[in-house]
Amino acid sequence: MDVFILKNEDECSEYAARMITDLVKSKPNAVLGLATGRTPIDTYARMVRIHNEEHVSFKDVKTFNLDEYYGIDESHPSSYHSFMQKHLFSKVDINQENVHVPSSKPQNVAEFCAWYENEIKKAGGIDIQLLGIGGNGHIGFNEPTSSLASRTRIKVLTEKTRTDNTFDFGTIEKVPMHAITMGIGTIMESRQIIIMAFGTKKADIVRQMIEGPVTALVPASVLQMHPSVKVIIDEDAASALERKEYYKWVFDNRPN
Ligand code: GLP
């Protein structure tokens, strides 16, 4: 894992946006794995800025989102379909046919999940996957004890996740109980991964992800097994790391 501790959220978001848009510059038909939540919002805003100012085109880019709530309308303001349109897709020149977000109401869940996996394969696999981390260590909606080899499927959301995501729905009762999410095995097949976290609220789970054992109890810890992960975090999210100074020293001496 490359652990990049940057000064603040702005620097982290700029770094991630640059990595993604640099990839799109060098590979205009790149396949992007995208995330929702508060963490990547500013990264998307910066990707939009780079698209406008530097004419980086998303015309041939394909995208696959990690997850979607199950059972709500895709037009619901808190659906991940709405989130992605609002923060990115409506603001760049992406072809809507190249956009994939898991369905919130598939007729047959198992068939849909197999189809989603196959679409990723047909696109040639994900070049770069952007991730946030849940307060309980989830990635996508792969809650603790998810199989580390799991594929796209429906999951029951934990009380902790539903509480954390209440702000989107008003009350916990309104937060869906289920979601369709790429599996951990699916995520691990991405060629590159960026995972971001900000703020002291994420400090302990970030420590467990980087310095704890690989365990299904902290799904993000499996990223220790991936050959190309960049953990991009601000000072606050890094505050519980035992080897913080070491990561900074490695960063300062990174090869060009
Ligand atoms: C959500 C999403 C995840 C996201 C995480 C963190 O529930 N399913 O993909 O990374 O929780 O969210 P936030 O960025 O708002 O902290």
Side-chain angles (χ1 to χ4, degrees), residues 20-213:
I20 296 169
T21 50
D22 283 353
L23 172 72
V24 173
K25 276 184 200 164
S26 64
K27 186 178 178 189
N29 62 348
V31 181
L32 308 181
L34 300 177
T36 53
R38 280 157 290 185
T39 306
I41 291 178
D42 192 37
T43 299
Y44 295 144
R46 287 162 192 269
M47 285 165 63
V48 171
R49 191 205 71 224
I50 295 168
H51 159 75
N52 288 326
E53 288 177 1
E54 300 173 29
H55 311 294
V56 178
S57 174
F58 288 76
K59 175 166 74 61
D60 297 321
V61 164
K62 284 202 170 93
T63 65
F64 290 90
N65 262 81
L66 283 168
D67 47 14
E68 176 58 285
Y69 291 108
Y70 176 73
I72 60 171
D73 287 335
E74 288 173 4
S75 60
H76 188 292
S78 298
S79 77
Y80 288 167
H81 280 78
S82 300
F83 176 101
M84 289 308 302
Q85 289 298 336
K86 177 173 166 196
H87 292 290
L88 185 65
F89 298 152
S90 67
K91 296 183 172 164
V92 295
D93 61 344
I94 198 157
N95 178 349
Q96 294 285 340
E97 283 174 15
N98 290 341
V99 157
H100 305 81
V101 180
S103 170
S104 64
K105 289 184 177 176
Q107 274 191 346
N108 179 316
V109 172
E111 271 175 24
F112 174 80
C113 294
W115 174 85
Y116 202 73
E117 288 277 333
N118 198 42
E119 287 299 297
I120 296 174
K121 273 206 188 78
K122 269 169 50 190
I126 292 171
D127 289 306
I128 196 162
Q129 174 69 57
L130 185 60
L131 296 174
I133 181 168
N136 61 5
H138 74 213
I139 46 177
F141 271 131
N142 294 286
E143 299 284 37
T145 72
S146 288
S147 159
L148 300 183
S150 51
R151 311 302 306 188
T152 303
R153 70 213 181 293
I154 189 162
K155 288 292 289 178
V156 180
L157 301 180
T158 61
E159 188 83 2
K160 160 87 177 136
T161 295
R162 293 179 69 233
T163 306
D164 286 351
N165 292 2
T166 294
F167 70 95
D168 271 339
F169 291 89
T171 62
I172 187 160
E173 294 74 30
K174 290 190 184 147
V175 182
M177 274 295 290
H178 303 97
I180 293 185
T181 180
M182 272 186 207
I184 296 177
T186 323
I187 293 169
M188 289 293 280
E189 282 172 9
S190 309
R191 285 184 269 279
Q192 279 191 81
I193 294 178
I194 300 173
I195 184 160
M196 296 199 295
F198 311 130
T200 46
K201 256 176 76 184
K202 296 281 173 80
D204 186 55
I205 201 68
V206 162
R207 181 187 58 75
Q208 293 184 56
M209 164 177 72
I210 299 171
E211 297 178 336

